[in-house]
Amino acid sequence: YILTTYGDPVGYKLPAWACSFELEPHPEYTTSTCYFWLASPVQPPVRFAYSLVENKLIELTAQEVHTAVNCHAVHLEAKSKDEVWVPITVFHKANSVELHRKPLLIHVYGAYGTDVNMSFKPENLLLIKDGWILAYCHVRGGGELGLGWHKDGCTTKKHNGIHDLKACINLLHKLGFSQPVYTALASMSAGGVLSGALYNNDPHLIRAMVLQSPFLDVLNTMLDPHLPLTIEEQEEWGNPLVDETCKEYIKSYCPYQNIRPQHYPSLFITVSENDQRIPLEGVLRYIRRLRKAVRAHAQAKSTDDKGLQMPNIILDVQPGGSHCASSWEDSLNQVAVQLAFLYSELGLVMQE
C-alpha cells in the first residue's frame, strides 16, 4: 500500500491476511500519523497507526494470536472468455489436505462498481474450522480494479461478469479446490444477477446456491418506470424502455427470463416482505417459474439425468422492509438457517 509523505511516495507492505482497508478520518491535516483498520473475511478488524515521519507501522489492537494465522490465503487469477484475467481470493484451513474433497463456498457480486464484500464475518471462522474453502471472485462489474473494471461489466457488457464467474469456478475445480458436488454459490442483491445467470447456464458447476434479497427479474423491473429505483438503475443495466437492443441484451442474461426445464441445483432464497429495492412480487414470480421448470424436467427426465435428486427450492420470506437483516439477532438466525441448508445439501455433518 502506498502512502505519501511530504510529496514523496512511500511503500509499506501490509500483513498478508489483509483484504479490506478503512482509513480513519483525522481532524488535523498537518498530522504526521494516520490511523486505519485492516480486516479480512476470516480476521476481525485490527487497528494500525502509520507514522509518516518514521515510516513505521504500529499495531494498536492487542490480540494474542491473529485468527488468520490458522487460515491459508491464496490469490489466483482466472482467464475469462475474452482472455481477461480475473482475481480470486481463496481461504482455507492451514495444513488442510485433500482439498478436492472439501466443501467450497463461492461469493460474488459484480455490480455498481462495488467490491465483493470482504469484511469479517464470524460464521466464516466456523466454516474454516469445519474444513470449508471460501472463495471471493472479483468479477467485472465490481470496483476491485477501478472504474474501467466496473464499466466493462455493466449495461451491454454484463455478460463479461457472467463469463468471469464461470471461469473462476472452473479454475478453482481445475486446481483441486473442491468439486461441483461440494460447491455452493452465495450472493446478495444485484449479485443475484450473475449467480442466477450461472444457475441457468452452467448448473452442473455447483450443488447449491444461497441468495439474499436477490435481483432476479431484471427485464420486467427495468420495463416498469413506476418502481422506485428503475430510472436511476438505468446507468447500470441500460434503458430497455427506449432501446430495443438493450431490451434484448438484458433478456439474454436475465435469470428469470432464461429459466428452462433442466436439472437445477438446490436453492435457498431469503427476502424481506416489504423490501422496496427487491419487491417480493418479482421473487415470487421467479420461484413459480423455476418450480414449474423443475417439475417439467422431472416428468421428461433424460437418461443423462437419471439418478439425480430433485432440487430443493426454498423461499424464506422475512417480515419487515429491510434489504438486509433488520437486527443482529435476525441476521444470526438467517445465517444459521442458510448454513443448515448448505450442510444438508452438500451432505455434511457440522463438527461442533
Side-chain angles (χ1 to χ4, degrees), residues 179-200:
Q179 52 188 292
V181 71
Y182 297 129
T183 298
L185 181 60
S187 62
M188 68 175 297
S189 193
V193 175
L194 301 190
S195 294
L198 182 124
Y199 189 70
N200 286 326

Side-chain angles (χ1 to χ4, degrees), residues 44-221:
V46 180
R47 189 170 184 250
F48 287 85
Y50 180 82
S51 172
L52 299 171
V53 176
E54 300 178 11
N55 188 24
K56 184 178 181 181
L57 189 66
I58 304 170
E59 181 178 335
L60 300 177
T61 304
Q63 297 189 58
E64 292 183 2
V65 179
H66 286 298
T67 305
V69 169
N70 301 316
C71 181
H72 185 58
V74 182
H75 301 283
L76 305 171
E77 285 188 322
K79 184 184 288 188
S80 194
K81 185 177 181 180
D82 59 356
E83 299 192 345
V84 170
W85 292 98
V86 183
I88 314 170
T89 306
V90 182
F91 299 93
H92 62 80
K93 190 175 183 180
N95 302 319
S96 184
V97 296
E98 295 189 317
L99 288 174
H100 66 286
R101 297 180 180 273
K102 302 299 183 182
L104 168 64
L105 181 57
I106 298 172
H107 295 268
V108 69
Y109 188 69
Y112 304 114
T114 300
D115 299 359
V116 63
N117 188 352
M118 298 282 283
S119 61
F120 171 72
K121 294 185 181 299
E123 60 267 25
N124 288 338
L125 298 182
L126 168 68
L127 294 176
I128 292 295
K129 187 175 181 180
D130 255 5
W132 283 73
I133 304 165
L134 305 180
Y136 296 80
C137 302
H138 309 287
V139 302
R140 280 173 287 184
E144 286 89 343
L145 297 181
L147 181 61
W149 198 248
H150 171 225
K151 293 298 183 182
D152 210 22
C154 67
T155 58
T156 56
K157 295 185 176 181
K158 185 56 69 174
H159 273 290
N160 284 341
I162 299 169
H163 295 319
D164 291 353
L165 176 58
K166 179 181 178 179
C168 289
I169 298 176
N170 279 330
L171 178 68
L172 289 167
H173 291 160
K174 181 180 179 181
L175 295 179
F177 291 104
S178 193
Q179 52 188 292
V181 71
Y182 297 129
T183 298
L185 181 60
S187 62
M188 68 175 297
S189 193
V193 175
L194 301 190
S195 294
L198 182 124
Y199 189 70
N200 286 326
N201 300 335
D202 300 282
H204 61 283
L205 291 180
I206 60 174
R207 177 66 184 84
M209 184 165 71
V210 174
L211 303 178
Q212 178 86 30
S213 302
F215 189 27
L216 297 167
D217 193 0
V218 185
L219 184 59
N220 285 322
T221 298

Side-chain angles (χ1 to χ4, degrees), residues 25-44:
H26 199 285
E28 299 179 6
Y29 71 91
T30 57
T31 182
S32 62
T33 303
C34 67
Y35 299 90
F36 56 90
W37 294 81
L38 298 178
S40 85
V42 296
Q43 172 63 56

Side-chain angles (χ1 to χ4, degrees), residues 103-107 127 132 181-186 207-211 266-268 335-349:
L104 168 64
L105 181 57
I106 298 172
H107 295 268
L127 294 176
W132 283 73
V181 71
Y182 297 129
T183 298
L185 181 60
R207 177 66 184 84
M209 184 165 71
V210 174
L211 303 178
S266 290
L267 173 64
F268 190 99
V335 168
V337 172
Q338 291 165 357
L339 290 184
F341 167 79
L342 290 178
Y343 272 80
S344 175
E345 291 300 323
L346 272 60
L348 307 174
V349 177

Side-chain angles (χ1 to χ4, degrees), residues 169-299:
I169 298 176
N170 279 330
L171 178 68
L172 289 167
H173 291 160
K174 181 180 179 181
L175 295 179
F177 291 104
S178 193
Q179 52 188 292
V181 71
Y182 297 129
T183 298
L185 181 60
S187 62
M188 68 175 297
S189 193
V193 175
L194 301 190
S195 294
L198 182 124
Y199 189 70
N200 286 326
N201 300 335
D202 300 282
H204 61 283
L205 291 180
I206 60 174
R207 177 66 184 84
M209 184 165 71
V210 174
L211 303 178
Q212 178 86 30
S213 302
F215 189 27
L216 297 167
D217 193 0
V218 185
L219 184 59
N220 285 322
T221 298
M222 297 308 297
L223 286 174
D224 188 350
H226 300 293
L227 293 176
L229 296 178
T230 295
I231 302 301
E232 63 182 78
E233 293 283 339
Q234 291 174 357
E235 185 175 348
E236 179 69 24
W237 311 101
N239 185 3
L241 289 166
V242 299
D243 188 340
E244 187 66 25
T245 301
C246 174
K247 180 179 178 180
E248 290 302 313
Y249 187 82
I250 292 176
K251 188 176 181 180
S252 72
Y253 68 78
C254 174
Y256 173 76
Q257 297 292 330
N258 290 280
I259 293 173
R260 54 189 175 272
Q262 63 176 332
H263 177 73
Y264 277 100
S266 290
L267 173 64
F268 190 99
I269 295 180
T270 304
V271 66
S272 295
E273 185 177 13
N274 300 309
D275 190 339
Q276 294 299 309
R277 296 186 183 182
I278 307 293
L280 178 59
E281 179 184 355
V283 179
L284 290 173
R285 191 161 54 235
Y286 175 87
I287 289 291
R288 284 195 295 268
R289 177 174 281 195
L290 179 60
R291 286 175 173 167
K292 183 178 179 180
V294 168
R295 287 194 298 269
H297 176 68
Q299 293 171 0

